[in-house]
Amino acid sequence: MEELLNNAFDPNEPGVAVVVTKGGKVLYSGAIGTANLELGTSLSPTMPFEVASITKQITSAAILILEKQGKLHTNDKLSVYFPDHPSGSATIEQLMQNISGAFVPDHSMGSNRVRADLTSEERLELLHGGQPYFAPGERYAYSNAGYWLLGDIIEKVSGVSYADFIQENIFSPVGMSNSYYGSHRNLIPNRVAGYDYTENGLKNASYTSETWAYSAGGLISSAVDIALWSNALFKGEVVPQESVGRMVTKAELNSGEKIPYGFGLALAELDGYRTAEHGGGHSGFLVHTTRLIDEDIFVVVLANSFYMTNGYRPPEEKNPAFVARRLALMAVETSEP
């Protein structure tokens, strides 16, 4: 596993932090590359990265925690919480499955708007500002807006901020000591710096306000912590096993067609093995997690670089999704630790 990383990444450039587990035990934990090019600091698997859309599975679990507490039901319609919302007929479950049709105008990571901080009131106003893409359940469309709405439901139902709810109900109980709600202002020990590969070489990541990422992609965590999170989740330590099973059940459209997406997790197969995985990325960071469900194998790959030139993506051997899947298959052949 280490050889795979050493062959792909330069220790003097942005790199990756990786953890591989099998049966909840660590097979491999390591990193290669530089956490801060200006200081020359090496990466470590305990350092916090921006984990982008890996946030979605944590947000989904938070919703299921509230359901277990009897404070909501995933069959509730959005209109229960926001009566005038244009997507009010969508259910909480459909928001988690990305089949709600929820729409936010001008919600583009390429827009200068993402550099401005949003208050909760401004975000809600924006969320009410456009018509749905389609009727709930009509089709699948990946939606950060839907996960924004889930964050707002968490705040409305729990009576605390999204950040505080995640800290109190997930980060602290699981022991995720290097995990945070995103903030450019707060001091975060050993925070990893993000970089963009551009036509003019490596640059510091462009600024994006964490208020835009929010409950769709605003969390910061380490590779070690994300492994703790996923293993705790699939052991039934975060929500009951029945709820975990719902998270890895394919969404069903109104037509009866099954869509390979659950609650914040993409569902597929890798060489015949059932997988629950998810990628994510925004300026400065590119990440991926892969779980072989029946083999109880989990891999997280966090990279502190993003490729910004004309949609260019990293060569295959540097792509976190490729690395995570390769390591997962290697873990199948590895003896129990």
Side-chain angles (χ1 to χ4, degrees):
M1 293 180 178
E2 191 165 88
E3 183 179 5
L4 177 72
L5 301 181
N6 287 335
N7 288 338
F9 297 95
D10 186 331
N12 299 310
E13 293 185 358
V16 291
V18 172
V19 172
V20 182
T21 69
K22 187 173 186 177
K25 299 179 180 179
V26 175
L27 285 180
Y28 177 78
S29 177
I32 182 169
T34 302
N36 188 302
L37 295 176
E38 292 164 316
L39 297 176
T41 310
S42 296
L43 282 169
S44 159
T46 60
M47 288 179 169
F49 289 64
E50 295 181 26
V51 297
S53 286
I54 304 305
T55 300
K56 290 181 171 66
Q57 59 192 262
I58 295 175
T59 296
S60 293
I63 289 287
L64 294 174
I65 289 170
L66 287 167
E67 183 175 51
K68 180 184 175 185
Q69 294 173 352
K71 295 180 179 179
L72 57 74
H73 195 284
T74 54
N75 286 334
D76 290 343
K77 292 186 176 181
L78 183 58
S79 58
V80 172
Y81 306 96
F82 302 107
D84 300 324
H85 195 279
S87 295
S89 61
T91 65
I92 291 176
E93 181 171 274
Q94 289 172 327
L95 291 168
M96 291 192 286
Q97 295 170 325
N98 284 323
I99 61 172
S100 70
F103 172 77
V104 174
D106 299 325
H107 183 211
S108 165
M109 295 308 290
S111 168
N112 284 332
R113 297 185 65 176
V114 302
R115 300 178 67 85
D117 291 341
L118 289 174
T119 65
S120 296
E121 292 74 18
E122 288 170 337
R123 182 167 49 244
L124 277 173
E125 183 179 351
L126 187 61
L127 285 166
H128 282 74
Q131 293 303 308
Y133 286 118
F134 50 82
E138 182 180 292
R139 59 186 176 90
Y140 170 88
Y142 191 78
S143 173
N144 286 318
Y147 273 84
W148 273 13
L149 288 164
L150 291 170
D152 287 330
I153 290 171
I154 290 168
E155 293 193 338
K156 194 176 186 71
V157 169
S158 69
V160 300
S161 70
Y162 172 81
D164 286 347
F165 189 86
I166 297 299
Q167 182 65 53
E168 294 166 9
N169 292 273
I170 294 178
F171 289 166
S172 292
V174 173
M176 299 168 69
S177 57
N178 290 306
S179 298
Y180 310 85
Y181 178 69
S183 171
H184 293 282
R185 294 280 288 170
N186 292 346
L187 300 179
I188 296 178
N190 300 311
R191 184 206 298 255
V192 173
Y195 298 93
D196 294 334
Y197 283 93
T198 75
E199 294 173 341
N200 298 313
L202 276 168
K203 300 291 182 183
N204 285 312
S206 59
Y207 175 79
T208 299
S209 169
E210 63 271 9
T211 63
W212 282 86
Y214 185 43
S215 49
L219 298 181
I220 294 175
S221 189
S222 69
V224 167
D225 278 8
I226 293 297
L228 285 173
W229 147 254
S230 185
N231 286 322
L233 176 68
F234 277 82
K235 286 177 184 175
E237 295 174 358
V238 178
V239 294
Q241 285 290 358
E242 179 186 0
S243 297
V244 178
R246 292 168 62 201
M247 290 184 73
V248 294
T249 298
K250 293 180 179 179
E252 184 172 339
L253 300 182
N254 299 336
S255 64
E257 179 186 356
K258 297 292 181 67
I259 300 297
Y261 199 90
F263 296 174
L265 290 165
L267 309 172
E269 287 192 356
L270 176 65
D271 284 11
Y273 300 107
R274 283 199 310 147
T275 63
E277 56 187 329
H278 213 285
H282 53 228
S283 183
F285 297 91
L286 197 59
V287 304
H288 200 86
T289 65
T290 295
R291 173 171 288 276
L292 306 188
I293 298 172
D294 301 316
E295 291 67 32
D296 197 12
I297 288 169
F298 179 73
V299 183
V300 53
V301 180
L302 306 180
N304 64 326
S305 62
F306 195 73
Y307 290 68
M308 300 292 288
T309 306
N310 299 323
Y312 174 68
R313 290 293 180 267
E316 187 175 54
E317 66 272 13
K318 291 180 179 289
N319 190 317
F322 172 82
V323 175
R325 291 164 183 158
R326 280 288 304 275
L327 292 174
L329 291 175
M330 292 172 72
V332 173
E333 304 302 327
T334 305
S335 299
E336 291 285 356

